[in-house]
């Protein structure tokens, strides 16, 4: 349920951003190519800001739901943690973003024509796939960092999430110069992944423990008795 509800929030943000861009294009001079390119960049920036605004709105909604679940539970605790909600929220955000990023490319791949026939890069589809993968991972990492920053009121972390989101979106305008866009985006993805890993409570010790596949020894001694209490008639 959380997966689909978060995807709905992203779709609403996309709808609003598309509406703003559509109105701005129709109110401007369509013959001015530089102006239209600037409006496209403006639309991408507005889309990023709206996505982060709806991410914050979804956090507030989940926070209210978490408080409600804690009130009705027997032990006074919510059955799902904030980190789990952050992960699911970011993953759903990334999945729906990746679907919309690649669906038009898959439609165009049906044909007619051959990629690169007019001198374009023949690596268009493979680079688009890697870019989509990076965006899905980034949204997952941003979700974990964003929710933790909202919970602990670390506003500088929120600013870094928004800034890296804007930077990633801006780097895509360097295409088809793929070396200048993909390399920095994957560096950002790696940095955000490490940050999200530490934010979620991960450590180098946990990695070694996971790779060793060793279970912790239980020092407690269990005493069993063959004697049984007779059943009462």
């Amino acid at each position: 349920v959380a997966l689909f509800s978060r995807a709905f929030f992203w779709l609403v943000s996309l709808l609003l951003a598309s509406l703003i861009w559509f109105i701005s294009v129709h109110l401007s001079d369509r013959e001015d190519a530089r102006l239209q390119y600037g409006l496209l960049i403006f639309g991408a920036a507005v889309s990023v800001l709206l996505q982060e605004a709806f991410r914050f709105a979804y956090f507030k909604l989940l926070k209210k739901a978490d408080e409600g679940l804690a009130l009705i539970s027997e032990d006074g605790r919510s059955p799902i943690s904030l980190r789990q909600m952050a992960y699911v929220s970011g993953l759903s955000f990334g999945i729906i973003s990746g679907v919309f990023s690649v669906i038009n490319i898959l439609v165009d791949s049906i044909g007619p024509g051959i990629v690169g026939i007019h001198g374009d890069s023949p690596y268009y589809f493979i680079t688009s796939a890697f870019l989509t993968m990076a965006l899905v991972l980034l949204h997952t990492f941003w979700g974990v960092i964003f929710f933790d920053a909202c919970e602990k009121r670390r506003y500088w972390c929120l600013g870094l999430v928004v800034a890296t989101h804007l930077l990633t979106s801006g780097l895509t305008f360097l295409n088809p110069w793929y070396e200048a866009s993909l390399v920095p985006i994957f560096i950002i993805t790696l940095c955000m992944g490490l940050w999200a890993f530490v934010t979620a409570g991960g450590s180098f010790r946990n990695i070694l423990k996971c790779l060793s596949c060793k279970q912790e020894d239980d020092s407690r001694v269990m005493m069993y008795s063959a004697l049984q209490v007779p059943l009462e008639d």
Side-chain angles (χ1 to χ4, degrees):
V1 176
L3 194 70
F4 290 105
S5 62
R6 188 64 189 92
F8 173 76
F9 271 69
W10 187 89
L11 289 173
V12 174
S13 67
L14 178 64
L15 176 63
L16 292 178
S18 301
L19 183 62
I20 293 173
W21 174 78
F22 180 80
I23 294 175
S24 62
V25 167
H26 279 71
L27 293 178
S28 62
D29 184 10
R30 299 187 185 182
E31 302 298 328
D32 191 343
R34 293 186 61 183
L35 177 61
Q36 296 303 316
Y37 187 75
L39 288 177
L40 184 61
I41 297 177
F42 167 75
V46 170
S47 177
V48 169
L49 295 177
L50 285 175
Q51 288 177 41
E52 297 303 329
F54 274 85
R55 196 195 301 272
F56 178 75
Y58 192 68
F59 166 78
K60 300 296 289 185
L61 179 63
L62 287 180
K63 192 66 177 176
K64 291 293 183 180
D66 183 68
E67 293 174 356
L69 290 173
L71 289 175
I72 63 176
S73 63
E74 295 180 356
D75 56 355
R77 298 180 181 179
S78 175
I80 183 172
S81 66
L82 180 67
R83 291 175 179 175
Q84 290 174 327
M85 292 189 293
Y87 172 75
V88 174
S89 173
L91 181 61
S92 60
F93 210 91
I95 290 175
I96 191 65
S97 176
V99 168
F100 272 78
S101 298
V102 78
I103 189 170
N104 290 330
I105 299 173
L106 294 178
V107 171
D108 291 337
S109 66
I110 299 176
I114 299 175
V115 177
I117 194 172
H118 296 293
D120 299 326
S121 174
Y123 305 108
Y124 173 70
F125 291 115
I126 187 65
T127 52
S128 299
F130 276 106
L131 180 60
T132 302
M133 179 187 68
L135 288 175
V136 173
L137 292 174
L138 276 171
H139 276 295
T140 305
F141 301 150
W142 284 330
V144 174
I145 298 170
F146 192 95
F147 274 46
D148 182 77
C150 290
E151 181 68 16
K152 298 179 180 178
R153 297 186 178 183
R154 294 178 178 175
Y155 301 108
W156 63 272
C157 293
L158 297 178
L160 282 177
V161 170
V162 176
T164 52
H165 196 170
L166 286 170
L167 178 60
T168 302
S169 180
L171 286 172
T172 59
F173 285 93
L174 296 177
N175 294 334
W177 188 17
Y178 299 119
E179 298 85 354
S181 60
L182 279 179
V183 174
I185 288 175
F186 270 89
I187 293 175
I188 294 173
T189 304
L190 178 61
C191 294
M192 290 295 105
L194 293 175
W195 189 3
F197 176 74
V198 175
T199 301
S203 63
F204 183 70
R205 179 184 177 185
N206 293 339
I207 296 178
L208 293 179
K209 188 185 299 183
C210 179
L211 294 177
S212 63
C213 299
K214 292 182 179 179
Q215 297 182 354
E216 295 183 354
D217 295 333
D218 195 349
S219 59
R220 294 175 298 177
V221 178
M222 302 297 295
M223 300 298 294
Y224 295 94
S225 175
L227 300 176
Q228 296 182 356
V229 179
L231 299 176
E232 296 181 359
D233 294 335

